[in-house]
């Protein structure tokens, strides 16, 4: 069965749906944030909306909708306009893990970056222990390019990240 998701811009009223997964330890395990309090989740949504309102918007955050329900977020960030470089990220409620939704979401984000924003290169990073995210990036045709040492400051110290990339012609 083919899963179908829709993407739309995140809005203020989405904070509760975001909080349903952002408050879970399993969701934030590989992130430098969380589990979120309600206030932290509201701050995140407020920050996304401020970024979306900027004249020269570089951060595009999408609510992931499945069967009318918001189940996660995807982000495309334009890192360098002169070199046409971007980065993608995604997060889903764990009730939807392992169903191909993250792969579909990542492919949609790559498509938006390459076709709507004219990017040449898009990258993504993940924790070396996050095998699920590694598989998602590989299924999207992204190439594992290396390891960035001490890339993110976590609650328990520094974390390495694996770097994946894809070029527009790949």
């Amino acid at each position: 069965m083919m899963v179908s998701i829709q993407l739309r811009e995140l809005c203020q009223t989405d904070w509760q749906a975001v909080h349903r997964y952002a408050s879970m330890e399993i969701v934030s395990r590989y992130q430098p944030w969380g589990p979120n309090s309600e206030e932290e989740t509201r701050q995140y949504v407020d920050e996304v909306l401020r970024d979306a309102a900027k004249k020269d918007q570089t951060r595009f955050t999408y609510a992931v909708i499945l069967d009318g329900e918001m189940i996660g977020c995807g982000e495309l960030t334009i890192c360098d306009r002169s070199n046409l470089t971007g980065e993608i990220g995604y997060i889903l409620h764990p009730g939807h893990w392992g169903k191909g939704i993250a792969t579909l979401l990542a492919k949609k984000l790559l498509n938006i970056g390459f076709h709507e924003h004219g990017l040449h290169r898009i990258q993504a990073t993940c924790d070396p222990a996050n095998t699920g995210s590694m598989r998602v990036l590989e299924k999207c045709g992204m190439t594992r390019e290396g390891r960035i040492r001490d890339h993110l400051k976590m609650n328990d110290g520094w974390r390495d990240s694996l770097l994946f990339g894809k070029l527009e012609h790949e």
Side-chain angles (χ1 to χ4, degrees):
M1 184 173 99
M2 188 67 180
V3 175
S4 177
I5 59 171
Q6 287 78 45
L7 301 183
R8 64 159 170 75
E9 287 188 36
L10 200 69
C11 58
Q12 189 69 54
T13 56
D14 289 328
W15 80 267
Q16 290 172 312
V18 171
H19 192 66
R20 278 195 285 278
Y21 59 81
S23 61
M24 301 171 79
E25 192 168 327
I26 192 170
V27 173
S28 62
R29 174 179 21 181
Y30 300 117
Q31 304 299 328
W33 53 266
N36 280 6
S37 66
E38 283 191 8
E39 181 59 29
E40 288 166 327
T41 300
R42 286 178 188 265
Q43 287 172 359
Y44 164 75
V45 172
D46 288 346
E47 177 185 306
V48 164
L49 296 176
R50 277 193 305 277
D51 288 345
K54 289 181 180 174
K55 186 172 185 270
D56 191 22
Q57 183 180 0
T58 57
R59 180 186 189 189
F60 301 86
T61 304
Y62 303 96
V64 180
I65 309 299
L66 176 69
D67 298 329
E69 177 190 2
M70 185 192 165
I71 61 163
C73 281
E75 285 197 14
L76 168 70
T77 302
I78 299 172
C79 305
D80 184 338
R81 287 197 191 277
S82 59
N83 287 303
L84 304 175
T85 303
E87 184 166 4
I88 62 167
Y90 45 84
I91 196 152
L92 294 176
H93 188 286
H96 300 282
W97 291 358
K99 299 176 183 178
I101 297 170
T103 301
L104 182 58
L105 171 57
K107 286 179 179 179
K108 284 181 177 273
L109 293 170
L110 288 167
N111 189 53
I112 291 168
F114 290 132
H115 297 106
E116 292 181 24
H117 296 283
L119 297 178
H120 172 71
R121 180 182 193 288
I122 299 175
Q123 66 186 30
T125 60
C126 73
D127 187 300
N130 191 344
T131 55
S133 196
M134 268 189 277
R135 280 195 300 272
V136 165
L137 298 172
E138 289 166 351
K139 286 180 192 175
C140 292
M142 297 187 86
T143 300
R144 183 172 162 178
E145 297 178 336
R147 185 182 197 106
I148 308 168
R149 297 178 305 140
D150 283 1
H151 180 232
L152 281 179
K153 187 160 176 37
M154 305 291 281
N155 293 332
D156 60 349
W158 287 97
R159 177 197 104 182
D160 291 358
S161 292
L162 297 180
L163 175 65
F164 289 79
K166 187 168 184 168
L167 304 178
E168 63 183 321
H169 63 272
E170 293 180 321

